[in-house]
């Protein structure tokens, strides 16, 4: 963003940003360009989970990029998990706006970047670009996708969690995301974590540049997602504690190249 502002100011000084004279724009352009270079070249250290405690740990025990968010909900775990499962894109503040920006305003097929307003977002995800990896009713949902893949990759017609877990050849970027609901003093604690594992140095460098650009928007989206879940859980009737619909797992979409979740 700094580089863009500096470049524009070289053509037409942005006086309202105090970018006149043009040499200030040149300085901002240089600073922004330096940050871009640093963002691409900074190392991405690897984290390894030695003792798995969740399904996420089993499917993403090693990763170089991650984000973690949590929120407390004044509702029991069963009702909170139902809200996780059923929340829609229209309930998440700025969700559709941020995804429109990420796809540069272009129309496209239904996916997590272009969600129908009234369908549960996780249902759309597992029927398009995400694969349901684990589902523990009342506690945890784990989904995964590929953010990078070698050109010669041939995915099976019906990909399985075991197939996804075994991908380790060079050129892959694997993104795994979960929602975990646990009992808490307030009622429930929801955590969501996204982990990305690049299987070689080239994939890691390419994804690092992308991740460091989109991370602020991604983090904001996750926080808004959790707030939408809390609103739905705290508004759900108590009858929902008795019956809990099963997760829609049919018609799982083949993992495709997609933006990081």
């Amino acid at each position: 963003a700094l580089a863009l502002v500096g470049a524009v100011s070289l053509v037409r000084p942005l006086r309202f940003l105090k970018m006149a004279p043009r040499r200030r724009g040149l300085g901002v352009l240089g600073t922004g360009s330096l940050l871009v270079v640093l963002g691409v070249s900074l190392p991405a250290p690897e984290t390894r989970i030695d003792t798995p405690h969740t399904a996420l740990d089993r499917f993403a025990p090693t990763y170089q990029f991650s984000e973690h968010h949590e929120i407390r909900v004044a509702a029991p775990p069963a009702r909170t998990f139902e809200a996780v499962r059923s929340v829609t894109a229209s309930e998440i503040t700025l969700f559709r706006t941020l995804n429109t920006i990420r796809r540069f305003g272009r129309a496209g097929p239904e996916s997590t970047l272009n969600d129908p307003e009234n369908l549960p977002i996780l249902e759309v995800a597992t029927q398009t670009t995400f694969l349901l990896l684990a589902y523990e009713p009342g506690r945890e949902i784990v989904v995964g996708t590929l953010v990078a893949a070698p050109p010669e990759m041939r995915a099976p017609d019906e990909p399985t969690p075991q197939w996804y877990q075994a991908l380790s050849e060079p050129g892959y970027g694997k993104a795994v995301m979960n929602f975990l609901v646990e009992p808490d003093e307030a009622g429930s604690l929801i955590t969501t974590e996204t982990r990305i594992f690049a299987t070689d140095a080239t994939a890691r460098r390419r994804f690092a540049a992308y991740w460091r650009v989109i991370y602020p928007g991604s983090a904001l989206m996750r926080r808004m997602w959790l707030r939408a879940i809390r609103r739905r859980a705290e508004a759900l009737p108590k009858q929902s504690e008795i019956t809990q619909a099963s997760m829609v797992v049919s018609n799982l979409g083949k993992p495709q190249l997609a933006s990081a979740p």
Side-chain angles (χ1 to χ4, degrees):
L2 281 175
L4 178 61
V5 169
V8 171
S9 297
L10 289 179
V11 178
R12 183 168 182 171
L14 303 176
R15 298 183 183 279
F16 69 96
L17 293 178
K18 298 183 179 180
M19 298 296 290
R22 284 186 170 86
R23 63 174 179 273
R24 290 185 181 176
L26 183 61
V28 172
L29 174 59
T31 301
S33 300
L34 177 61
L35 289 175
V36 170
V37 172
L38 288 175
V40 173
S41 59
L42 282 176
E46 193 165 275
T47 301
R48 186 182 302 275
I49 305 296
D50 294 324
T51 305
H53 296 287
T54 64
L56 175 69
D57 292 340
R58 295 198 303 272
F59 282 95
T62 305
Y63 55 94
Q64 299 98 4
F65 309 91
S66 68
E67 62 175 298
H68 175 100
H69 307 282
E70 61 183 50
I71 197 169
R72 285 177 166 79
V73 180
R79 202 192 320 169
T80 301
F81 189 81
E82 172 65 14
V84 170
R85 199 188 59 78
S86 57
V87 73
T88 64
S90 61
E91 296 174 71
I92 304 173
T93 305
L94 297 177
F95 186 89
R96 300 176 70 83
T97 300
L98 290 171
N99 275 333
T100 299
I101 294 172
R102 286 175 65 183
R103 65 175 191 268
F104 301 104
R106 294 173 301 197
E110 290 183 358
S111 71
T112 53
L113 290 182
N114 189 27
D115 277 273
E117 290 190 5
N118 299 316
L119 287 179
I121 187 170
L122 287 178
E123 179 181 328
V124 175
T126 56
Q127 292 181 2
T128 53
T129 57
F130 282 78
L131 178 67
L132 181 66
L133 299 177
Y135 179 69
E136 184 178 341
R139 185 171 188 268
E140 186 178 15
I141 297 174
V142 183
V143 296
T145 191
L146 298 177
V147 293
E152 66 276 9
M153 185 199 81
R154 295 292 180 269
D157 292 334
E158 296 185 5
T160 65
Q162 293 74 26
W163 168 83
Y164 182 89
Q165 193 171 26
L167 290 174
S168 59
E169 295 81 7
Y172 285 101
K174 302 167 65 175
V176 181
M177 179 179 73
N178 83 329
F179 285 92
L180 178 68
V181 178
E182 297 177 296
D184 181 74
E185 294 179 358
S188 305
L189 175 68
I190 312 174
T191 60
T192 181
E193 186 170 355
T194 300
R195 297 176 182 175
I196 297 92
F197 174 63
T199 56
D200 67 352
T202 300
R204 186 184 304 188
R205 284 194 302 270
R206 289 176 178 173
F207 187 77
Y210 173 76
W211 181 250
R212 286 160 183 159
V213 169
I214 64 98
Y215 177 80
S218 177
L220 176 61
M221 188 184 297
R222 294 297 185 278
R223 294 189 185 102
M224 295 299 101
W225 196 334
L226 289 178
R227 290 181 186 181
I229 292 171
R230 180 173 63 185
R231 287 194 300 270
R232 175 178 273 262
E234 293 178 349
L236 279 174
K238 292 186 177 180
Q239 290 85 338
S240 64
E241 299 174 32
I242 303 174
T243 60
Q244 180 175 321
S246 61
M247 181 70 174
V248 176
V249 297
S250 60
N251 300 321
L252 292 178
K254 182 189 296 184
Q256 301 173 17
L257 300 185
S259 295

